[in-house]
Amino acid sequence: MMEAADNSQAMTERRQAADGQNTDGSSGHRVRQITYLLLIVLTVGMVAGRILAVTAVDVAVVEKIRLREAVDRQREQLKLRGIQGANLEAALQEFRAKKSKELRLSRPFLSANDRSRWCTIRALVDDGTYAIDQIVTNPEEYARWQTIDMVKHASSGQPHLYSSKPTLLPTLLAGEYFLIQKLTGWTLAEHPFQVVRSMLLLTNIPVIILILLLLSRIVEKLGASDWGRITVMAMASFGTFLTTFAVVLNNHLIAAACVMVAFYAAVNVWIDGKRETRWVLIASLFSALAMAIDLPAGLLLGVLGLGFLYTLPRATLLVGVPVVVAVVGVAVGTNYMA
């Protein structure tokens, strides 16, 4: 009976911690919440500033040099043809405007990996196709949009080039680009910096906030001390590569958010003893999305699936399995469409 009483008391204390009513007093809880908020605000500010400044700065000087050399060569050729004065300057101005497009190197894309996904997003909205030939083989586009992360495939007729990245994430983000284009008139072809930075802010910033908010709730449930909880939050805010990835379009950050949501659902079931079906639905949906977006997360799906099958077998079979099958079907379906 004494052991049962101890277990009951431990469960009561854990539930109080989950509700924010920790045994160390409301003042300690309030200080932690303020600290969590400050960490989240600092992280968001840091990431937003880096997104707004992102550019392939290593090519900016090269771009200016190449344009200046091209204009100088054109000047000499025009002089040899007897063109002088105002006619020469007008011809050079027209040449400079045309050549600047061909020699553009500065871009808000920092890697072939990043550009590969952007090519798919642009092709879907601007051209209505998953094929990216018209982008990466265009002489005026190649310097900014070239990528090695592509494959050649032919289902019928002529072969086409496609991004080698899984199709689900670019397909979802194409909807965001479609809305931005309709609302602002910006296109990735003519306004890459405006579109890319807007999409990164609208996508990666909320994802980071979601990760840190859910983690703050988890450390409140599982943490044993103020310093322990705050240390975990500080490390999540400044000590991982997630904020590094936030300046580019990538699958790792979004998959990490899906993992956090799924893990939060698991904590509610396995730690707090909640048995509502919605937690099975949430865990299944987001662990499946994590796998579809970042394949190694399939290990999490397997572990959670076995755990939920043991804890809530009926809900797992009737709700969890169909949700996973649906997500996998959509991921495979977009690949089939491509």
Side-chain angles (χ1 to χ4, degrees):
M1 290 183 64
M2 290 295 294
E3 183 178 354
D6 291 341
N7 290 337
S8 177
Q9 182 179 359
M11 181 63 73
T12 300
E13 292 176 354
R14 189 173 292 280
R15 287 186 179 279
Q16 289 177 343
D19 294 333
Q21 299 172 350
N22 302 79
T23 55
D24 56 346
S26 59
S27 60
H29 174 70
R30 197 158 45 244
V31 169
R32 290 196 304 273
Q33 295 301 313
I34 294 173
T35 304
Y36 300 158
L37 179 60
L38 287 174
L39 289 172
I40 293 172
V41 170
L42 287 173
T43 303
V44 168
M46 174 184 67
V47 172
R50 292 174 62 190
I51 289 174
L52 291 173
V54 66
T55 181
V57 293
D58 57 312
V59 298
V61 175
V62 177
E63 180 181 314
K64 294 179 181 178
I65 293 174
R66 291 178 64 185
L67 180 60
R68 184 175 66 247
E69 292 176 347
V71 171
D72 290 341
R73 288 194 299 269
Q74 183 69 4
R75 184 189 303 275
E76 295 302 319
Q77 292 177 9
L78 292 174
K79 286 182 177 180
L80 290 175
R81 290 160 52 186
I83 301 176
Q84 299 290 337
N87 291 335
L88 174 63
E89 293 304 320
L92 287 176
Q93 185 176 358
E94 181 180 353
F95 175 81
R96 184 181 289 106
K98 178 182 178 182
K99 203 66 179 177
S100 63
K101 292 184 177 181
E102 297 179 6
L103 298 179
R104 284 185 301 188
L105 295 175
S106 59
R107 58 201 176 201
F109 323 116
L110 299 183
S111 70
N113 186 306
D114 188 27
R115 292 191 296 274
S116 183
R117 291 188 176 89
W118 285 114
C119 283
T120 299
I121 293 170
R122 176 180 166 184
L124 279 171
V125 177
D126 293 353
D127 305 311
T129 177
Y130 281 93
I132 61 175
D133 310 53
Q134 68 283 2
I135 300 174
V136 297
T137 62
N138 186 334
E140 293 187 3
E141 303 275 14
Y142 180 78
R144 303 178 91 183
W145 288 87
Q146 87 278 10
T147 176
I148 60 172
D149 288 332
M150 59 184 177
V151 296
K152 180 181 284 187
H153 178 69
S155 58
S156 62
Q158 294 296 319
H160 292 283
L161 297 173
Y162 299 88
S163 168
S164 60
K165 301 303 175 185
T167 51
L168 179 60
L169 182 59
T171 302
L172 295 174
L173 291 175
E176 185 177 357
Y177 171 42
F178 176 82
L179 292 175
I180 289 176
Q181 187 181 105
K182 294 302 179 184
L183 292 173
T184 65
W186 294 338
T187 67
L188 279 168
E190 297 298 328
H191 312 88
F193 283 90
Q194 293 91 324
V195 173
V196 169
R197 290 174 176 174
S198 296
M199 289 185 63
L200 291 178
L201 288 172
L202 292 172
T203 302
N204 290 353
I205 294 297
V207 165
I208 288 177
I209 293 174
L210 176 64
I211 290 173
L212 295 178
L213 282 177
L214 290 181
L215 182 61
S216 70
R217 301 198 66 175
I218 291 173
V219 298
E220 282 297 303
K221 293 175 184 290
L222 305 181
S225 68
D226 289 347
W227 283 111
R229 295 182 179 102
I230 293 172
T231 299
V232 170
M233 284 297 297
M235 291 301 295
S237 299
F238 307 118
T240 78
F241 278 120
L242 293 182
T243 53
T244 304
F245 292 144
V247 299
V248 296
L249 183 63
N250 70 95
N251 58 326
H252 306 301
L253 180 61
I254 297 175
C258 293
V259 167
M260 186 62 72
V261 175
F263 183 65
Y264 180 71
V267 168
N268 276 275
V269 172
W270 293 339
I271 302 300
D272 291 344
K274 298 179 181 179
R275 293 296 184 263
E276 294 90 346
T277 303
R278 71 172 183 271
W279 297 114
V280 177
L281 173 63
I282 292 172
S284 302
L285 174 61
F286 284 94
S287 59
L289 281 173
M291 181 186 69
I293 294 172
D294 204 345
L295 190 58
L299 179 61
L300 174 73
L301 176 62
V303 171
L304 290 186
L306 291 175
F308 275 89
L309 188 62
Y310 176 79
T311 308
L312 297 167
R314 180 179 176 85
T316 302
L317 292 173
L318 296 180
V319 177
V321 172
V323 167
V324 172
V325 171
V327 172
V328 172
V330 171
V332 175
T334 55
N335 194 68
Y336 178 77
M337 288 170 58

